[in-house]
Amino acid sequence: MTADAPAAAPSPAAPAIPPTTTDDLFRADAYLRERPARVLRVEAATGTVVLDRTVFYPLGGGQAGDSGVLRLADGGELTIADTRKGKDEEGQPTAEIWHLAAPEQEAVLARLTPGDTVTAAIDWERRHRMMRLHTASHLLCHLVAQPVNGCSITPEAVRVDFHMSEALDAAALAEGLTALVAQALPVTVGRVTDAELDANPGLVKSMSVQPPRGSGTVRTIRVGSTEAPIDLQPCGGTHVANIAEIGALRVAKVEKKGAQARRVVLAFAEAT
């Protein structure tokens, strides 16, 4: 999908926004590839840049953080190697998103000051692979209806650890995934209230990570129709709009990791 045309850049005369919140544009539209943003803070010692809004997804929920570039108004580029959620001095999460510069870019960082306008652009091919694999992990949760005790999503593979003792058949899982992808079901971002989540604890598949509460609603991902979804669970990650976009998958590994742990690793079927 082609990204929307960039919005108008903020006025250079506008006052700097306090370094408290980064608007996470990717939550509403995972297909945004780039957007203009205003610099809130630059920490040269750590190579950290905080923006008022971003298309970069930070490490979380098992999904790796985005990489890409920040394009400066003077034509320069700052390479972003990773993206993380902000933390305060006590290590508690904040509303900031930290863009972490690749090494040896001190000269470019020195040209950035609060209030500057940059264009934040993700490495789209890398992100899209993770979107496909993250959505594939939700299909796997449909096929293996057991609690999840860990997940890791990279551009190369997705690993899901299930809390179970029964053996899993790799061939059967591969067949099931192929059949599901062929159904070309829609993937929809939604929300449930905290009360609705409390009343339906089975929506939470993960044992290791609980969905964030306190705002009144929790973001969800639904695969399939509203009336009969094949998967519905809280999730803050990025996903494709239709499971047909996932493409061909292979079960790279199924292994026993303990008496109550079975690991499944999925990768793309095509050679990369």
PDB file of all heavy atoms in Angstrom, residues 8 75 78 92 135 156 159 192 208 224 261:
ATOM      1  N   ALA A   8       1.177  18.725   6.009  1.00  0.00           N
ATOM      2  CA  ALA A   8       1.926  19.979   5.982  1.00  0.00           C
ATOM      3  C   ALA A   8       2.855  20.058   7.179  1.00  0.00           C
ATOM      4  O   ALA A   8       2.492  19.682   8.291  1.00  0.00           O
ATOM      5  CB  ALA A   8       0.955  21.158   5.995  1.00  0.00           C
ATOM      6  N   GLY A  75      18.862  18.692   4.186  1.00  0.00           N
ATOM      7  CA  GLY A  75      19.190  17.625   3.253  1.00  0.00           C
ATOM      8  C   GLY A  75      19.965  16.480   3.858  1.00  0.00           C
ATOM      9  O   GLY A  75      20.142  15.439   3.212  1.00  0.00           O
ATOM     10  N   LEU A  78      19.831  11.302   9.336  1.00  0.00           N
ATOM     11  CA  LEU A  78      20.286  10.625  10.536  1.00  0.00           C
ATOM     12  C   LEU A  78      19.756   9.203  10.488  1.00  0.00           C
ATOM     13  O   LEU A  78      18.539   8.994  10.453  1.00  0.00           O
ATOM     14  CB  LEU A  78      19.772  11.333  11.787  1.00  0.00           C
ATOM     15  CG  LEU A  78      20.204  10.718  13.118  1.00  0.00           C
ATOM     16  CD1 LEU A  78      21.693  10.970  13.360  1.00  0.00           C
ATOM     17  CD2 LEU A  78      19.369  11.292  14.266  1.00  0.00           C
ATOM     18  N   GLN A  92      10.702   3.574  34.712  1.00  0.00           N
ATOM     19  CA  GLN A  92       9.298   3.390  34.398  1.00  0.00           C
ATOM     20  C   GLN A  92       8.976   3.966  33.018  1.00  0.00           C
ATOM     21  O   GLN A  92       9.564   4.978  32.607  1.00  0.00           O
ATOM     22  CB  GLN A  92       8.419   4.073  35.450  1.00  0.00           C
ATOM     23  CG  GLN A  92       8.577   3.489  36.845  1.00  0.00           C
ATOM     24  CD  GLN A  92       8.253   2.018  36.895  1.00  0.00           C
ATOM     25  OE1 GLN A  92       7.200   1.587  36.427  1.00  0.00           O
ATOM     26  NE2 GLN A  92       9.168   1.216  37.438  1.00  0.00           N
ATOM     27  N   THR A 135       1.204 -10.851  12.223  1.00  0.00           N
ATOM     28  CA  THR A 135      -0.148 -11.325  11.953  1.00  0.00           C
ATOM     29  C   THR A 135      -0.179 -12.839  11.864  1.00  0.00           C
ATOM     30  O   THR A 135      -1.138 -13.485  12.309  1.00  0.00           O
ATOM     31  CB  THR A 135      -0.687 -10.693  10.661  1.00  0.00           C
ATOM     32  OG1 THR A 135      -0.533  -9.276  10.717  1.00  0.00           O
ATOM     33  CG2 THR A 135      -2.158 -11.021  10.460  1.00  0.00           C
ATOM     34  N   GLU A 156      12.987 -11.751  10.093  1.00  0.00           N
ATOM     35  CA  GLU A 156      13.298 -13.071   9.545  1.00  0.00           C
ATOM     36  C   GLU A 156      12.358 -14.166  10.023  1.00  0.00           C
ATOM     37  O   GLU A 156      12.084 -15.119   9.292  1.00  0.00           O
ATOM     38  CB  GLU A 156      14.734 -13.482   9.911  1.00  0.00           C
ATOM     39  CG  GLU A 156      15.812 -12.708   9.200  1.00  0.00           C
ATOM     40  CD  GLU A 156      15.948 -11.284   9.713  1.00  0.00           C
ATOM     41  OE1 GLU A 156      15.837 -11.093  10.953  1.00  0.00           O
ATOM     42  OE2 GLU A 156      16.147 -10.374   8.897  1.00  0.00           O
ATOM     43  N   ARG A 159       8.809 -16.289  16.681  1.00  0.00           N
ATOM     44  CA  ARG A 159       8.853 -17.405  17.622  1.00  0.00           C
ATOM     45  C   ARG A 159       7.737 -17.229  18.633  1.00  0.00           C
ATOM     46  O   ARG A 159       7.585 -16.162  19.228  1.00  0.00           O
ATOM     47  CB  ARG A 159      10.197 -17.451  18.351  1.00  0.00           C
ATOM     48  CG  ARG A 159      10.212 -18.378  19.555  1.00  0.00           C
ATOM     49  CD  ARG A 159      11.496 -18.317  20.319  1.00  0.00           C
ATOM     50  NE  ARG A 159      11.851 -16.996  20.818  1.00  0.00           N
ATOM     51  CZ  ARG A 159      11.291 -16.420  21.887  1.00  0.00           C
ATOM     52  NH1 ARG A 159      10.309 -17.026  22.537  1.00  0.00           N
ATOM     53  NH2 ARG A 159      11.690 -15.233  22.274  1.00  0.00           N
ATOM     54  N   VAL A 192     -11.550  -2.475  23.154  1.00  0.00           N
ATOM     55  CA  VAL A 192     -12.513  -2.939  24.148  1.00  0.00           C
ATOM     56  C   VAL A 192     -12.270  -2.132  25.415  1.00  0.00           C
ATOM     57  O   VAL A 192     -11.163  -1.645  25.654  1.00  0.00           O
ATOM     58  CB  VAL A 192     -12.369  -4.444  24.444  1.00  0.00           C
ATOM     59  CG1 VAL A 192     -12.697  -5.275  23.213  1.00  0.00           C
ATOM     60  CG2 VAL A 192     -10.977  -4.780  24.954  1.00  0.00           C
ATOM     61  N   SER A 208       2.804 -13.736  29.773  1.00  0.00           N
ATOM     62  CA  SER A 208       3.965 -12.959  30.206  1.00  0.00           C
ATOM     63  C   SER A 208       3.751 -11.458  30.125  1.00  0.00           C
ATOM     64  O   SER A 208       4.418 -10.694  30.832  1.00  0.00           O
ATOM     65  CB  SER A 208       5.196 -13.343  29.367  1.00  0.00           C
ATOM     66  OG  SER A 208       4.930 -13.189  27.991  1.00  0.00           O
ATOM     67  N   GLY A 224     -10.632 -11.716  10.857  1.00  0.00           N
ATOM     68  CA  GLY A 224     -11.911 -12.274  10.447  1.00  0.00           C
ATOM     69  C   GLY A 224     -13.053 -11.308  10.697  1.00  0.00           C
ATOM     70  O   GLY A 224     -12.847 -10.129  11.015  1.00  0.00           O
ATOM     71  N   ALA A 261       6.203 -26.455  27.951  1.00  0.00           N
ATOM     72  CA  ALA A 261       6.581 -25.431  26.967  1.00  0.00           C
ATOM     73  C   ALA A 261       6.854 -26.055  25.607  1.00  0.00           C
ATOM     74  O   ALA A 261       7.668 -26.975  25.488  1.00  0.00           O
ATOM     75  CB  ALA A 261       7.808 -24.669  27.453  1.00  0.00           C
TER      76      ALA A 261
END
